[in-house]
Amino acid sequence: MDDRQGAKQLYLRDYAQILNRRKWTIILVLVIAVALGAAYDSVSTKKYTATAQLELTPQVSQIVQQAANPVSVTPLVDVPTAIQVIQSTSVQDAVRKKVPNAPSVTVKQVQLTNVVTVSVTATTAMMAAAAANAYATAYLSVQQQQAVSTLNNAEQIVQGDINGLDTQIASVQQQIAAAPSGSLAQQSSLSTQLSSLQSQRSSYVNQLNQYQFAAQLNTAGGQVIGTAPLPTKPSSPKPVTDIALAVVIGLVIGIGIALLREYYDESIRTMADLERVTHGVPTLGLIPAIGDWRSDGEPYLVSEKAPTAPPSEAYRSLRTAIQFLGLERDIRSLLFTSPSAAEGKTTTLANMATTMAHAGQSVVVICCDLRRPRIHQFFGLSNQVGFTSVLLGTATLEEALQSVPGIPGLYLLASGPTPPNPSELLSDPRAKAIFDQLAQRADIVLIDSPPVLPVTDAAVLATQVDGVVMVASVGNSSRKDVGRAIEVLGRVNAPLVGVVLNKASESDSYAYYRYSYGPTDTDQWTKARAASAPKAAATSKPTPNGTVPPQLKASLNAPTQADGNDTGEPGKS
């Protein structure tokens, strides 16, 4: 396949995807069009159409002209003129005398023949048939009257000419009889004149005979070859035809509206839409929609409740992508954020943390969304003591850190009491000290932050971590918002390592639907990698809710080596 053919197929496939995404718009317009068509048919008055057929013959005027000039061409039927006569006022007046309130007539020539159809549409079948037949007979009657009048006038004129010639012939004959017998020249001249007059008279007599013969023939200019039968079905409305037309119109309008909406729609729909605005930032994962999630407002940990579902496998693939990023750079703290609210950043972080913990890693989740904290709800833990408690000195890190029940190696530092000034609190050097201290003791620290655009919290936090993951959502995120969020993070030199697309379509996340789900080679690779890392927390056992394992507790209480700055931030071991 050449490049041009491949480009064409891709172009058609893109249009097919657009129509699939906008199918409900097309269906809605189609239903409205069909409903309007059906409603129109239901309220429309039924009409019936009856048709009679006429065979046209040459007009009387042409017959008269041929009789006057025998060498002329055989007369032809003037169909357009006949059609105008049928639709003329004189014919309509004649029809309405027989059929009061008769509708107008429609006359059409049958191909290139001398046959025309006379059609009438009325509200009753009887009216339609009677009017159609009346138009046909009225046309013949009018033509007959005109023919009789024309022939009578022509006969009178010819008879007058004959009478005149008879008088002249009698005069010449008298002159011949009175001429002297010796005057041969005069007699010859009179004889020649007499012969000429007799020849003219003979011609006029022949012409008169043709007129009389024409009067005995059909001089009406046509004949009815098919009377209009009584219609048995209405000609309109036609439900089947109207519904089919409504379907075609509805599809055309629906597809037009769908394409128009797509043109002006700024929302992210596919991975291609996302990549157009990320400008080279890699897409780390495509998370399909969670079918078992009844309400977006309720926390649902799919990686824990449905580990073999397609979204769970997608989170494992995302975990692998993040682990490969760790081969290129040292990522110990990872911030999850989004351009705006309700795009799934907290859900992504919670499932990511669970997936990493199941792979044998020691994971600490920190809730830095101090305005709308939700991460603790995914794990069923308390939010009374947490990150702000440690910052304000009302609790130690050991007291604030909670282990997640049923998931060994996963710990949560909730947000704690909501402060009046979240941005100022997050920019405090002590916040980064907490991040560094936990990053030194665990395999990875995952931080939940507010969205980028509404507040500055995410931009502040982005300068204090090793990597930032931006989460967008199909249908919720717009290309404009994603672009602005990347621009905001770029202004503070945030280490944006990639983006994640939530609720990805089946065509984008095809691999997740194609194969069965279960333990993969990725899990074996991550377990081997975690086993090779000398982390005390990696071998920890499940502990009661809110209890930190002794190994991690010891590491939290261990003194850290200062890095020499005046902020008191601990250096990495």
Side-chain angles (χ1 to χ4, degrees), residues 366-492:
I366 304 177
C367 181
C368 288
D369 191 347
L370 306 183
R371 303 173 188 269
R372 298 178 60 184
R374 290 186 65 239
I375 191 68
H376 63 281
Q377 298 176 3
F378 284 84
F379 304 118
L381 298 177
S382 172
N383 193 45
Q384 295 181 355
V385 178
F387 182 69
T388 57
S389 304
V390 177
L391 284 178
L392 298 175
T394 59
T396 63
L397 189 57
E398 175 188 349
E399 295 171 343
L401 199 64
Q402 306 176 69
S403 63
V404 177
I407 307 179
L410 180 58
Y411 309 96
L412 171 67
L413 181 61
S415 65
T418 303
N421 53 345
S423 298
E424 289 78 2
L425 197 63
L426 292 174
S427 60
D428 192 298
R430 290 173 295 178
K432 189 173 188 310
I434 294 175
F435 300 156
D436 291 341
Q437 187 175 357
L438 291 174
Q440 291 172 6
R441 312 302 188 231
D443 287 330
I444 192 167
V445 176
L446 304 181
I447 302 171
D448 184 25
S449 79
V452 176
L453 298 180
V455 292
T456 61
D457 300 11
V460 172
L461 289 169
T463 62
Q464 304 176 15
V465 295
D466 299 327
V468 177
V469 174
M470 180 177 295
V471 179
S473 176
V474 171
N476 296 95
S477 304
S478 69
R479 293 192 289 266
K480 181 179 179 180
D481 288 347
V482 173
R484 288 176 56 194
I486 293 177
E487 181 181 354
V488 170
L489 294 177
R491 292 173 184 171
V492 296

Side-chain angles (χ1 to χ4, degrees), residues 60-75 154 158 161 203-204 206-208 210-211:
V60 173
S61 60
Q62 294 178 323
I63 297 176
V64 173
Q65 182 180 2
Q66 186 186 28
N69 185 14
V71 298
S72 63
V73 181
T74 302
V158 172
D161 293 338
S203 176
Y204 280 120
N206 290 335
Q207 187 175 351
L208 181 61
Q210 289 184 11
Y211 290 159

Side-chain angles (χ1 to χ4, degrees), residues 56 151 165-166 310 312 322 324 339 375:
L56 303 177
L151 288 174
L165 288 174
D166 287 342
S312 300
I322 293 176
F324 273 109
I375 191 68

